[in-house]
Amino acid sequence: MNTREMFAKAIKGGYAIPAFNFNNMEQLQAIIKASAETKSPVILQVSKGARNYANQTLLRYMAQGAVEYAKELGWEHPQICLHLDHGDSFELCKSCVDFGFSSVMIDASHLPYEENIALTKKVVDYAHQYDVTVEAELGVLAGVEDEVSSAVSHYTKPEEVVDFATRTGCDSLAISIGTSHGAYKFTPEQCTRDPKTGKLVPPPLAFDVLDAIMEQLPGFPIVLHGSSSVPQEYVDMINQYGGKLPDAVGIPEEQLRKASKSAVCKINIDSDSRLAFTAAVRKVFAEKPGEFDPRKYCGPARDLMEELYKHKIINVLGSDGKAE
Ligand code: 13P
């Protein structure tokens, strides 16, 4: 399904839909199991990098298989959207629409304002012919997400959002209010340190900018990218078993919980799942150096990711039970 109805319900109900990226079978299984068990609507995200890694045809049919798998798990009416994350050209978005995606993102946020509008509108005009919803972006997030990267962030300007949404006809808007892609969202200089634990405390999200945007566009679906929390337990596990992730820091979950209750109705989480996967695999390798059956280390990774997804759905986004 596309995102239109999902978002309308989420805004009304004061929760957010999880948008989880997937590149492989174990991630997809974990996402579907967690969503089916909690009866949460879910957005399966595929980035350009994922398409290059896993093959676009395979990913598309995996997503189709996931719907059948969800039914097998006892979820009678699965609410699953297949979405292109960070489309960077009209051709890529068109290819995903033609491939059967139900939603696409055109991320032209790095372009000058008028060019962002023109490209977004072109994608919207094409996608809407097939009832495919379109996410656009205004403002720039810092960090690295597959092919898209930026060293600095620029908050979304609330005075631009009405003009942008009206002229492009986009269905949802990704905004920049201080989230950022990856496991290193902030430099130590941008953070303070908790005197007790020595851990980094990130700067708070700019809720004043979000409020101003919501005032301009009442009831319009807002999207937050870069919303991994970088759970300390996974970072510690990775470091304990031979990894090296010093000072990795994410968005505190209570801030995402607060955002979920507003017009923010889609929250993107990718890095946390990568961390869970890596932590579980490292643990098996460290404890059982003789193990060479991938099922014996990908299996525990899948279990840990499923636990993570359920936690996000139930304790952070509040989307459990919304797709009975
Ligand atoms: P994270 O890197 O914080 O998981 O963000 C993922 C994302 O926004 C995908 O578009």
Side-chain angles (χ1 to χ4, degrees), residues 111-176:
L111 297 178
Y113 182 70
E114 286 299 329
E115 288 175 40
N116 186 355
I117 289 188
L119 181 51
T120 302
K121 183 170 170 11
K122 190 173 172 190
V123 171
V124 169
D125 287 346
Y126 185 76
H128 280 184
Q129 293 177 60
Y130 304 92
D131 203 25
V132 169
T133 40
V134 179
E135 175 183 325
E137 180 163 329
L138 250 190
V140 178
L141 268 69
V144 181
E145 169 72 12
D146 283 345
E147 323 267 316
V148 182
S149 75
S150 171
V152 284
S153 79
H154 303 286
Y155 287 165
T156 304
K157 295 182 186 139
E159 63 274 20
E160 287 180 348
V161 295
V162 172
D163 182 61
F164 185 85
T166 314
R167 287 172 61 199
T168 61
C170 65
D171 300 281
S172 59
L173 187 63
I175 59 164
S176 172

Side-chain angles (χ1 to χ4, degrees), residues 18 28 53-54 98 108 116 130 139 156 167 230 260 306 312 317:
L28 184 58
Y53 173 76
D98 296 348
N116 186 355
Y130 304 92
T156 304
R167 287 172 61 199
V230 189
S260 301
E306 185 189 337
K312 296 287 179 186
L317 310 188

Side-chain angles (χ1 to χ4, degrees), residues 21 45 85-86 145 180-182 185 225-228 268-271:
N21 292 69
Q45 298 204 130
D85 190 25
H86 289 291
E145 169 72 12
S180 146
H181 292 122
K185 299 192 184 301
H225 280 246
S227 296
S228 275
N268 289 11
I269 296 169
D270 185 9
S271 297

Side-chain angles (χ1 to χ4, degrees), residues 85-100:
D85 190 25
H86 289 291
D88 60 356
S89 67
F90 173 76
E91 289 69 28
L92 176 57
C93 293
K94 178 181 181 300
S95 151
C96 287
V97 171
D98 296 348
F99 245 71

Side-chain angles (χ1 to χ4, degrees), residues 141-307:
L141 268 69
V144 181
E145 169 72 12
D146 283 345
E147 323 267 316
V148 182
S149 75
S150 171
V152 284
S153 79
H154 303 286
Y155 287 165
T156 304
K157 295 182 186 139
E159 63 274 20
E160 287 180 348
V161 295
V162 172
D163 182 61
F164 185 85
T166 314
R167 287 172 61 199
T168 61
C170 65
D171 300 281
S172 59
L173 187 63
I175 59 164
S176 172
I177 56 165
T179 61
S180 146
H181 292 122
Y184 293 92
K185 299 192 184 301
F186 306 101
T187 61
E189 294 72 44
Q190 290 173 303
C191 302
T192 51
R193 262 187 210 277
D194 183 323
K196 275 199 211 117
T197 60
K199 302 282 183 202
L200 292 176
V201 179
L205 296 182
F207 278 99
D208 54 332
V209 176
L210 172 62
D211 287 342
I213 291 169
M214 291 193 300
E215 208 171 295
Q216 294 292 318
L217 282 177
F220 194 82
I222 302 295
V223 176
L224 282 190
H225 280 246
S227 296
S228 275
S229 297
V230 189
Q232 201 54 49
E233 58 195 285
Y234 301 154
V235 174
D236 289 347
M237 225 168 126
I238 289 171
N239 290 339
Q240 178 188 347
Y241 294 112
K244 202 172 177 189
L245 290 180
D247 286 339
V249 61
I251 311 296
E253 289 186 336
E254 62 271 16
Q255 295 191 35
L256 298 171
R257 213 171 287 131
K258 180 175 167 187
S260 301
K261 296 192 169 108
S262 71
V264 169
C265 57
K266 172 175 180 270
I267 292 192
N268 289 11
I269 296 169
D270 185 9
S271 297
D272 283 355
S273 149
R274 297 180 182 195
L275 290 168
F277 197 117
T278 303
V281 169
R282 275 198 178 277
K283 184 168 189 287
V284 176
F285 282 168
E287 289 177 347
K288 298 176 189 159
E291 191 54 74
F292 70 98
D293 179 349
R295 292 171 297 187
K296 297 286 167 45
Y297 50 85
C298 289
R302 184 173 62 192
D303 293 344
L304 198 58
M305 287 188 291
E306 185 189 337
E307 196 182 291

